[in-house]
Amino acid sequence: MNRGYFADISEMKQHGGKIAVANKIIVPAMTAMKFPVTEVSYPDGISIKLPITSENVNTAKSDVPKASVLCLSFRASSLAMVDSWSIPFLDAFGQSKNVQLYEVSFIDSWLLTRNPIKKILLRIMRKSKPAERNNIVQSQIVYSFGDHYDFRKELKILNLLTGYIYLIDKLGRIRWQGSGFATPDELSSLVSCTSFLLEEK
């Protein structure tokens, strides 16, 4: 898990961040693993736990999304990769009331996780908030501070320079995943799997 920066760079040169080809079909509910619960902060300082389920959030079952997409970035180099997934996803499901999209940036620098610096950083992020679309669903930008070793270990994340995309069902299970820049076929499978979850009872 503690690979060096140059190992990540070498891997990026080989496949451009595409750690593995995304699922073509949805992962069956019986075999799907749970997404590890992680605490994140909005730019205004409010903290929540992801993924949103009735188990880890004090909310009515009707308020739990049927499908959530979590886009993970550990380094700035992966933000464009995340956009390649999130923008088309919003185009497809921007008017759905049962979908949520989160872009999670992980910040593990010791200095940036200290409270005074963390508050300043979140204030800066709040000012640089991107323009919202005229959608019911908005891309929610959140940040996770601190050591993420155990979190990455559970998800088997090694390369920190690429982006990771997860489709989560209402029970917090990973039903689809992808990485790197989205391809048309992968976007099609993400849309198809999300539609399946929206129709699931």
Side-chain angles (χ1 to χ4, degrees):
M1 292 298 297
N2 290 321
R3 297 200 322 175
Y5 175 78
F6 292 105
D8 286 355
I9 284 286
S10 176
E11 196 172 63
M12 291 289 286
K13 287 180 179 178
Q14 292 176 28
H15 51 57
K18 186 66 67 181
I19 302 298
V21 177
N23 300 59
K24 290 187 177 180
I25 59 174
I26 199 161
V27 176
M30 293 294 291
T31 60
M33 67 173 279
K34 285 287 190 83
F35 189 91
V37 175
T38 185
E39 185 171 305
V40 298
S41 299
Y42 285 99
D44 62 6
I46 293 175
S47 296
I48 63 167
K49 289 182 179 180
L50 293 179
I52 301 295
T53 69
S54 55
E55 295 176 0
N56 62 30
V57 176
N58 185 20
T59 186
K61 284 188 176 181
S62 59
D63 294 331
V64 174
K66 287 187 173 183
S68 299
V69 168
L70 273 57
C71 306
L72 312 185
S73 295
F74 293 88
R75 299 291 183 267
S77 59
S78 62
L79 294 177
M81 299 177 191
V82 165
D83 285 345
S84 74
W85 296 95
S86 62
I87 294 173
F89 184 82
L90 286 176
D91 287 341
F93 295 102
Q95 300 305 316
S96 173
K97 295 180 180 179
N98 291 312
V99 170
Q100 290 188 349
L101 171 66
Y102 292 89
E103 296 184 30
V104 187
S105 292
F106 290 84
I107 299 170
D108 53 14
S109 164
W110 179 86
L111 178 63
L112 297 179
T113 59
R114 299 301 92 192
N115 240 358
I117 305 297
K118 176 181 172 181
K119 288 179 179 178
I120 293 171
L121 180 63
L122 286 173
R123 194 176 301 129
I124 293 170
M125 296 301 183
R126 190 176 184 181
K127 290 179 180 178
S128 61
K129 184 180 178 182
E132 294 186 345
R133 296 175 164 212
N134 187 26
N135 287 341
I136 294 174
V137 180
Q138 300 290 341
S139 182
Q140 302 186 60
I141 312 296
V142 293
Y143 303 88
S144 181
F145 294 87
D147 179 30
H148 305 109
Y149 178 87
D150 291 335
F151 174 83
R152 293 192 294 110
K153 187 176 181 180
E154 285 196 56
L155 293 174
K156 297 179 173 62
I157 290 175
L158 294 176
N159 194 312
L160 300 183
L161 300 181
T162 192
Y164 299 87
I165 317 299
Y166 296 90
L167 174 64
I168 313 297
D169 67 15
K170 60 188 177 182
L171 296 179
R173 299 171 297 196
I174 301 172
R175 306 296 296 276
W176 179 98
Q177 65 186 80
S179 62
F181 283 101
T183 67
D185 285 346
E186 289 175 326
L187 284 171
S188 178
S189 68
L190 173 58
V191 168
S192 175
C193 292
T194 303
S195 298
F196 177 87
L197 290 183
L198 293 179
E199 294 168 5
E200 206 173 41
K201 293 183 179 179

